[in-house]
Amino acid sequence: MTDILTPAKPLSVSPLKVSQPVGASLAFLGLARTMPLEHGARGCTSFNKLFFMRHFREPIALQTTAMDQTTTVIGADGNVVEALRTIAERNQPDVVGLISTGLSEMQGADVPRTVKAFRAACPQHAGMAVVPVNATDTLGCLETGFALAVEAIVDALVPEGWEAGQRRRQVNILAPSMLTPGDVEVLKDWVEAFGLYPIVLPDIGDSLNGHLTADGYSTLTYGGTTRADIAQMGRSAATLVIGRSLGRAADRLKARTGVPDHRFDGLMGIEACDAFTHTLSQLSDRPVPPRVERWRDQLRDAMVDCQFQLGAGRVAMAADADLLASLSVFLSGMGMETVAAVATARAPVLDGLPLDSVVVGDLEDLETLAREDLALRGGAGILIANSHGAEPAARLGMPLVRAGFPLYDTHGGHARVWIGYRGSRNTLFDLANTFAAVYREIAPYRSIYWQGTPRDHETPQ
């Protein structure tokens, strides 16, 4: 059992986590023709939108109800109704994700009741789905906000019924926030290799992985899971759930549709990939395709190639719980040691990790743990964190491998593939190269008796 430590610090001086409204908005950005609407102050939403634009380097659809000091005190129901009316008239989206924030939650806003008021005032916009999500900034992190939004989407857009298995070649995939758009595209290729049709919820691989369309600029999302596909999820043969954070959403989907599910904590490393491949083979009733066998052989070869560089390698990492768990299990399987681990929020998946302890904290805690290990045992060789980890890494004198959200100081981070046989292989190569770049040769021995002699001026060969 892993010890979960929660420091009682009164101040976070080096923040790690991203708030729940950002996570909830990210989930809605994976739906087609959708507009996330954050119920809060204009400045907070602008900051969130900037985060997305710097990470994905794409135009981002995101609006706010623009609460000010007056509406914060006397009530902002009118802001919500007016914002929904304006979006419906100007953009005609299929879905609006109405997300509360720390400000509106503290005000005590009743978002579902406000949606009813909009329906009564604007019956002409009945075709536009409005999905309310309670996502305060004061609890959780990006991962939990994302999971709350997926749960709300299932409740609002998946019809109840018992038609499971009517489409035998169709499978649902609940994709967590730890997957990049590149990961989602690889995941779909993996499923399609077995002749299956995947409905990914949400599909940020289709909406946030590069778009220069003939239609030009759009105020809504450029792609993603369509409402029609979401409505058909109850007819699928199975649901594949990636990441422990989506457990409640998976429970809701199963309760509404009866579709059986298969759950995976992560898809990094050969054991996790084999388990997923075996499940796909069973669901499709097909043998493993030769190209998947090829991917597996390439990963095994990479494991052999990198074993001497990575074996006994030491890392310090900070991330959301699902990503931290998936990475730590993967690296442990390669014989690596995680000397310091920090998670953004408490999560059940942290309890069974191959680590002595995990701290629920910030990057200051990670830096403190890394310094303590540096003094006692020589320290880690690599720090793994999002872009906020650049400064702690510089102070510690360690290279930073960027993972998670946000990645604003690198290009292509959102498209990087971490999962599957090929993503695991690339991750091994990246880690091995990073270790090799900081490897220091042992200085040649020079006797003290050479001082003042001609040999003192010899250049080591």
Side-chain angles (χ1 to χ4, degrees):
M1 179 69 77
T2 306
D3 289 334
I4 310 300
L5 309 175
T6 307
K9 296 194 308 182
L11 177 67
S12 178
V13 297
S14 186
L16 167 67
K17 73 176 181 179
V18 180
S19 68
Q20 286 199 125
V22 177
S25 298
L26 178 59
F28 283 107
L29 290 175
L31 304 189
R33 292 188 46 76
T34 295
M35 176 68 76
L37 172 62
E38 294 188 0
H39 185 25
R42 180 180 288 115
C44 297
T45 303
S46 299
F47 192 68
N48 296 346
K49 187 167 184 170
L50 181 63
F51 251 163
F52 285 130
M53 293 179 71
R54 295 179 72 188
H55 179 87
F56 293 108
R57 299 178 190 272
E58 301 278 358
I60 297 297
L62 186 61
Q63 289 289 353
T64 175
T65 56
M67 295 172 64
D68 57 21
Q69 64 270 36
T70 302
T71 54
T72 299
V73 174
I74 66 174
D77 290 358
N79 289 41
V80 176
V81 174
E82 188 57 32
L84 290 172
R85 185 205 310 270
T86 302
I87 292 172
E89 291 176 351
R90 292 185 180 179
N91 309 118
Q92 296 94 41
D94 289 344
V95 181
V96 172
L98 180 54
I99 304 156
S100 66
T101 63
L103 182 61
S104 52
E105 285 288 329
M106 287 299 174
Q107 185 204 36
D110 187 348
V111 174
R113 183 179 61 79
T114 314
V115 174
K116 291 180 181 176
F118 164 72
R119 294 298 188 201
C122 304
Q124 69 275 24
H125 300 305
M128 181 182 78
V130 179
V131 182
V133 182
N134 291 97
T136 177
D137 300 78
T138 53
L139 297 173
C141 59
L142 179 142
E143 180 180 278
T144 58
F146 187 95
L148 287 170
V150 174
E151 193 175 340
I153 292 168
V154 169
D155 279 343
L157 302 182
V158 178
E160 290 189 71
W162 295 92
E163 300 174 326
Q166 282 196 357
R167 298 188 174 187
R168 297 177 55 194
R169 311 303 297 180
Q170 175 178 296
V171 294
N172 308 322
I173 298 178
L174 296 187
S177 60
M178 70 172 168
L179 299 189
T180 67
D183 285 332
V184 174
E185 294 207 340
V186 164
L187 187 57
K188 288 192 289 186
D189 288 343
W190 199 351
V191 174
E192 287 168 354
F194 287 83
L196 299 171
Y197 174 71
I199 297 178
V200 182
L201 181 67
D203 188 353
I204 63 171
D206 193 43
S207 60
L208 292 170
N209 203 16
H211 287 279
L212 286 176
T213 65
D215 298 333
Y217 176 74
S218 171
T219 55
L220 305 175
T221 51
Y222 285 81
T225 321
T226 64
R227 278 186 67 180
D229 269 352
I230 296 173
Q232 296 299 324
M233 293 178 75
R235 296 181 176 179
S236 296
T239 300
L240 306 172
V241 187
I242 317 298
R244 196 82 65 89
S245 64
L246 294 183
R248 284 181 46 177
D251 293 339
R252 301 295 279 267
L253 180 59
K254 190 173 183 179
R256 294 181 71 84
T257 64
V259 177
D261 60 41
H262 305 266
R263 306 189 183 196
F264 307 86
D265 285 346
L267 295 177
M268 297 181 69
I270 199 161
E271 290 186 4
C273 292
D274 283 352
F276 191 73
T277 298
H278 179 67
T279 302
L280 293 177
S281 180
Q282 285 189 320
L283 291 174
S284 64
D285 195 24
R286 291 184 180 182
V288 178
R291 58 172 158 159
V292 178
E293 294 277 10
R294 173 68 173 158
W295 298 342
R296 186 178 191 276
D297 290 343
Q298 289 174 328
L299 173 58
R300 292 173 60 222
D301 184 64
M303 293 169 68
V304 174
D305 293 345
C306 299
Q307 62 173 323
F308 294 112
Q309 194 69 60
L310 298 181
R314 312 178 85 229
V315 301
M317 70 171 79
D320 285 344
D322 272 353
L323 181 58
L324 183 79
S326 188
L327 271 172
S328 61
V329 171
F330 176 44
L331 300 186
S332 176
M334 284 298 297
M336 301 176 69
E337 181 184 2
T338 301
V339 301
V342 174
T344 53
R346 184 75 169 87
V349 72
L350 300 176
D351 291 325
L353 299 183
L355 306 174
D356 293 334
S357 64
V358 175
V359 174
V360 178
D362 59 14
L363 287 169
E364 182 191 43
D365 298 312
L366 182 70
E367 188 172 342
T368 301
L369 291 171
R371 286 191 186 284
E372 291 174 355
D373 187 78
L374 183 65
L376 294 174
R377 299 193 297 164
I382 288 177
L383 191 148
I384 301 174
N386 60 24
S387 288
H388 295 312
E391 291 186 6
R395 288 192 290 269
L396 291 165
M398 298 178 189
L400 174 67
V401 174
R402 290 165 174 78
F405 180 95
L407 304 180
Y408 51 78
D409 57 350
T410 184
H411 291 272
H414 67 284
R416 178 173 176 169
V417 178
W418 295 82
I419 67 163
Y421 297 110
R422 290 175 291 175
S424 301
R425 179 191 187 214
N426 292 338
T427 302
L428 291 182
F429 288 149
D430 289 344
L431 292 174
N433 288 330
T434 306
F435 271 111
V438 297
Y439 178 74
R440 299 286 186 272
E441 292 282 355
I442 299 174
Y445 173 74
R446 299 180 69 83
S447 171
I448 60 173
Y449 299 108
W450 293 358
Q451 295 179 10
T453 70
R455 299 204 64 178
D456 195 21
H457 302 288
E458 288 181 354
T459 302
Q461 298 299 315

